[in-house]
Amino acid sequence: MTDRSLHLPVAAQPSVDSLVELAAFGESHGYEYAWLPETWGRDAVTVLTAMARETDEIGLGPSIVNVYSRSPALLGQTMTTLQEVADGRLRAGIAPSGPAVIEGWHGIEFDRPLRRTREYLEIMRAVMSGETVNYDGDIFSLAGFRLRCEPPSEPVPIDAAGMGPKSVELAGRFADGWHAIVFTPDGLEDRLEDLRRGMELGDRDPEDVRVTLSVTACALEDGDRARNLARQHLAFYVGAMGTYYRESLARQGYEEAANEIAAAWASGEQDRAVERIPDPLLDDLGAAGTPERAREELEKFAAIDGVDDLAIGFPRGADRNEIEATIEALAPDH
C-alpha cells in the first residue's frame, strides 16, 4: 500500500509554531512523513529541529535543500545533528533547485547541477559515516577531517529530487530515493523508466530506492474554491518559478498550455494565466475538489506501480483551516 505523507506548505506561514502544529496534526492522522520545503522563507533546519522536539513518531525531512547554499560537509554535519534531535526519524532530500533561486537569491552560479548533486551525496555519506573524509571530486576536494561527534546511530537516507531524465536517472543510480513534483500520471511513468535505468546502472535493488510523489491537493466542501486554489498554485509554479516546471510540462504533452501560462504571467496577467489551466491539466497534476472528488483523484497516483509515498501538498493560497480540512479528508486513517 502506498504511504501517505505531508508536503508542508511552501507559502509563508504565520510562524514556526504554525508549521510545527501542522506536522503534529499530520502525525495525529497517521501520516508517514512531514516534508518541509526550503525556498526563500524560513530555513528548513531550524523548523525541522522545532518539529522534532514537538513530535514523536512522524518521519521528518527537508524536501528539498539545495546543493549550493551549504557546503556538502556542512550538510553532512547538519543531517547528523538533526538525526540526533529527531531520534532517528530523519530522511534528507537534496537537489540543485534552479537558477532563479540559486543565482537570484543565493548569488551563486548555477553550475554543473547534476555533478554537484552526485558529489553532495557521496560527501554527505562520507561525513555521516564518522570516518576520516578524503574525497577528490571534479568540484570538491576534502582531506583529513572527521566528525567531532558520534555519527548517526541510524543512517540518514538521502533522497534526490529531479524532473528531467538525467536527474531522475542520477537519483536511481546514487540516491536512496527520488522526490517527484508536478507530474502527470503518464509523465511520471516516463520518468520511472529513467529511474529504473539509473538503478540498473548503479546495480541497485529497487527496494532500496524510495519514490515520493508530491501531489498538490485541496479537499473542501466548496469544491469550486478548492479547484480555484489549485489552479492559482499551478499558474504560479509554471509562470513564476523559472523554466524547469514549464519544460517538464512540455515533456509531458502540455507544451502549448505551459507556454501560454508562462507568457500570461510574464505579462503581468496573472488571472489570465490561471484561466489557461484547463480542467484536464488540473486533474492530471493534482487532486482538488470536494473531499470525495479529491480522494478519487488521488487514487490515480496511488495506483502507479513504483510510487511508495504520496506527499500531500497544498495550494499557496490555502488558509490554515483549508490546509487542515485537506489533511483530514485525505489522511491515511480516513
Side-chain angles (χ1 to χ4, degrees), residues 95-107:
S97 186
V101 173
I102 299 307
E103 296 182 352
W105 179 243
H106 293 292

Side-chain angles (χ1 to χ4, degrees), residues 218-224 226-227 287-294:
C218 195
L220 307 174
E221 293 301 330
D222 184 347
D224 289 339
R227 291 178 69 77
T290 63
E292 295 76 15
R293 179 171 185 173

Side-chain angles (χ1 to χ4, degrees), residues 3-259:
D3 289 332
R4 196 71 56 85
S5 292
L6 294 182
H7 194 170
L8 292 169
V10 69
Q13 297 301 301
S15 65
V16 170
D17 285 345
S18 66
L19 287 163
V20 172
E21 288 163 4
L22 287 174
F25 192 67
E27 180 176 67
S28 71
H29 285 281
Y31 284 87
E32 189 79 8
Y33 280 91
W35 298 109
L36 183 71
E38 183 180 74
T39 53
W40 50 93
R42 296 181 181 90
D43 78 278
V45 178
T46 305
V47 181
L48 284 166
T49 301
M51 286 179 185
R53 291 298 193 193
E54 299 298 327
T55 58
D56 298 307
E57 297 179 355
I58 193 168
L60 301 170
S63 181
I64 50 100
V65 289
N66 73 73
V67 295
Y68 289 87
S69 58
R70 299 174 180 90
S71 75
L74 177 57
L75 267 186
Q77 293 173 251
T78 300
M79 297 306 155
T80 294
T81 309
L82 279 174
Q83 182 71 315
E84 180 181 351
V85 174
D87 294 324
R89 292 180 284 140
L90 188 70
R91 190 176 184 103
I94 68 171
S97 186
V101 173
I102 299 307
E103 296 182 352
W105 179 243
H106 293 292
I108 300 170
E109 182 183 0
F110 190 72
D111 178 54
R112 291 182 286 177
L114 296 183
R115 183 67 205 181
R116 286 185 76 97
T117 302
R118 175 175 173 176
E119 294 196 11
Y120 266 69
L121 285 163
E122 293 169 344
I123 293 169
M124 288 172 68
R125 286 186 179 127
V127 168
M128 290 189 288
S129 74
E131 301 299 322
T132 301
V133 179
N134 292 295
Y135 183 87
D136 186 18
D138 292 346
I139 299 173
F140 296 99
S141 293
L142 291 77
F145 286 87
R146 59 181 294 177
L147 280 174
R148 295 183 70 179
C149 59
E150 290 297 314
S153 56
E154 293 288 334
V156 180
I158 309 173
D159 299 342
M163 303 179 74
K166 289 298 183 183
S167 61
V168 177
E169 180 185 296
L170 182 146
R173 189 174 180 183
F174 299 107
D176 296 306
W178 172 46
H179 284 222
I181 189 170
V182 190
F183 276 101
T184 69
D186 287 345
L188 187 69
E189 293 276 14
D190 290 341
R191 293 290 78 79
L192 284 169
E193 291 182 13
D194 299 316
L195 187 75
R196 286 188 281 269
R197 183 172 61 251
M199 288 189 284
E200 290 172 3
L201 289 169
D203 195 23
R204 311 288 301 286
D205 184 339
E207 294 296 319
D208 295 334
V209 182
R210 180 178 175 88
V211 175
T212 300
L213 171 64
S214 180
V215 177
T216 299
C218 195
L220 307 174
E221 293 301 330
D222 184 347
D224 289 339
R225 163 73 176 169
R227 291 178 69 77
N228 286 337
L229 284 169
R231 272 196 173 86
Q232 292 165 13
H233 182 86
L234 180 58
F236 173 82
Y237 264 70
V238 177
M241 291 289 286
T243 63
Y244 48 107
Y245 292 108
R246 182 168 80 243
E247 291 166 354
S248 178
L249 279 185
R251 286 192 295 267
Q252 297 177 72
Y254 284 103
E255 182 173 9
E256 183 177 351
N259 288 336

